[in-house]
Amino acid sequence: MYTTELDKSAANPPVTIEDAGLLAAFEARVAADEFIEPNDWMPEAYRRTLVRQISQHAHSEIVGMLPEGNWLTRAPSLKRKAILLAKVQDEGGHGLYLYCAAETLGTSREDMIDALHSGRAKYSTIFNYPTLNWADIGAIGWLVDGAAIMNQVPLQRTSYGPYARAMVRVCKEESFHQRQGYDLLLALVNGLPEQKAMAQDALNRWWWPALMMFGPPDDNSPNSAQSIRWRIKRETNDELRQKFVDATVPQAELLGLAIPDPDLRWNEEGGHYDFGAIQWDEFYAAVRGEGPTARERITARRAAWDEGAWVRDAATAHEAKRAALAAA
């Protein structure tokens, strides 16, 4: 999942005496790792949290097609073009799975997209950065999708059934995406010195934004404790970030690339890598829509929605005609 902690006002509504028994039963089911299904009773705060998280995840998949789609016509070979095209198509499919999962919670596709276009809903901050050269496509696959996998694998055990089941296929395809990125960078580092320099430059620019993808530190993540209690999340932002660093540093070493962090050290006692301070001011600026390509991204999404209106209208008219014929 592409994570950004955004909603700090998700207070639980008062629980009536009538609902107290339902809440106790719900909490017991969640604690027993049972799936909650769309027709099951659930607290309103649980529903709102899921709508926020799943719709944000869906928005991120769709917006995430833009920086890579920008390189489809400029891929250096037919093979690379076909691989990238397949990946971009996968991301579109992920968005559709997730919008469908969110709709089971009583929201509509139109409401979710309107929230994105109006700025009431966000997408992952990582997609507010530009893809400056071909090596960036490899860095996105390796780092961005690698971070997404770290987030998404635990979501296969999230407490809401439709979300968990959607993540099974998403995770399989994201694993392909991560390997695609690593393979691309492997080709570059084994090529000309200029190509290896491109790969290092891409790593330098994408490393810190990738660490920010997991969201703010745990002591500034107001919804994490409740989300973990309800099994919506299975691990905290900082736990996932640490796992990502520990998994990715050896991969960089195999590529012969240097992680752009002078404070990166192996902690023998802790059994993990210590890493430098993240510039959280940059993260929150990107959340506010101040990233280098933020305006370009949302403008592109609004234009695509407006230009696709005739398709939606035609599909609606066709369905109405089909229903009328069936009822005749």
Side-chain angles (χ1 to χ4, degrees):
M1 184 189 62
Y2 304 100
T3 290
T4 303
E5 197 71 42
L6 299 165
D7 183 1
K8 298 187 179 184
S9 61
N12 293 343
V15 177
T16 66
I17 294 175
E18 182 180 1
D19 287 344
L22 294 172
L23 179 60
F26 169 84
E27 297 275 8
R29 290 185 62 195
V30 169
D33 279 333
E34 294 183 26
F35 282 142
I36 304 300
E37 299 297 344
N39 291 331
D40 294 338
W41 185 91
M42 63 187 73
E44 184 57 30
Y46 177 83
R47 185 188 305 275
R48 286 202 313 270
T49 299
L50 281 168
V51 169
R52 175 181 60 83
Q53 179 169 317
I54 299 172
S55 64
Q56 179 187 306
H57 191 169
H59 298 328
S60 298
E61 297 283 358
I62 298 298
V63 175
M65 299 166 68
L66 296 173
E68 294 176 308
N70 187 45
W71 281 89
L72 283 173
T73 60
R74 294 181 283 167
S77 69
L78 180 60
K79 174 185 174 182
R80 292 294 179 188
K81 187 188 297 289
I83 292 172
L84 183 58
L85 181 60
K87 184 188 176 191
V88 171
Q89 289 176 320
D90 282 350
E91 306 293 8
H94 297 173
L96 295 179
Y97 304 152
L98 293 163
Y99 283 133
C100 289
E103 285 176 320
T104 66
L105 291 158
T107 189
S108 71
R109 187 83 53 95
E110 290 75 12
D111 286 345
M112 287 184 279
I113 292 174
D114 181 68
L116 173 66
H117 292 172
S118 66
R120 291 181 289 114
K122 303 294 183 181
Y123 53 87
S124 177
T125 56
I126 196 73
F127 299 119
N128 281 340
Y129 292 86
T131 45
L132 302 181
N133 60 51
W134 176 245
D136 286 25
I137 301 303
I140 288 175
W142 173 39
L143 298 176
V144 175
D145 292 308
I149 292 168
M150 202 64 70
N151 259 317
Q152 292 168 356
V153 166
L155 289 175
Q156 294 175 103
R157 297 180 293 113
T158 193
S159 59
Y160 188 57
Y163 194 19
R165 289 188 288 272
M167 294 315 302
V168 173
R169 178 167 180 172
V170 170
C171 285
K172 290 178 180 179
E173 293 176 349
E174 291 290 3
S175 295
F176 157 73
H177 300 167
Q178 196 268 350
R179 286 165 173 78
Q180 166 265 340
Y182 195 82
D183 177 71
L184 193 162
L185 291 176
L186 186 63
L188 289 177
V189 299
N190 287 314
L192 298 173
E194 292 84 356
Q195 291 174 307
K196 184 173 183 179
M198 282 175 58
Q200 182 64 60
D201 173 64
L203 173 56
N204 293 346
R205 287 182 289 105
W206 288 94
W207 174 253
W208 293 106
L211 294 192
M212 296 176 197
M213 279 182 65
F214 296 95
D218 291 345
D219 58 6
N220 195 30
S221 181
N223 298 321
S224 285
Q226 183 65 81
S227 290
I228 288 176
R229 179 184 167 203
W230 278 338
R231 306 291 204 272
I232 294 173
K233 292 175 64 172
R234 307 294 299 212
E235 297 176 74
T236 71
N237 297 350
D238 286 339
E239 288 170 346
L240 291 168
R241 191 168 9 250
Q242 185 66 63
K243 288 175 66 174
F244 173 75
V245 172
D246 292 344
T248 307
V249 171
Q251 296 170 2
E253 292 172 350
L254 287 172
L255 287 171
L257 299 177
I259 299 293
D261 180 359
D263 297 322
L264 186 71
R265 300 285 187 279
W266 174 252
N267 185 323
E268 190 68 40
E269 183 178 349
H272 61 75
Y273 285 94
D274 294 331
F275 54 93
I278 296 172
Q279 299 300 312
W280 290 113
D281 287 347
E282 178 182 333
F283 169 80
Y284 287 112
V287 170
R288 292 192 300 269
E290 299 170 14
T293 62
R295 183 173 298 178
E296 175 185 336
R297 298 287 185 250
I298 202 65
T299 298
R301 288 309 312 149
R302 288 173 181 152
W305 180 255
D306 292 341
E307 292 167 7
W310 70 271
V311 178
R312 297 192 300 277
D313 291 343
T316 301
H318 175 76
E319 176 58 21
K321 184 182 293 186
R322 187 201 65 78
L325 290 172

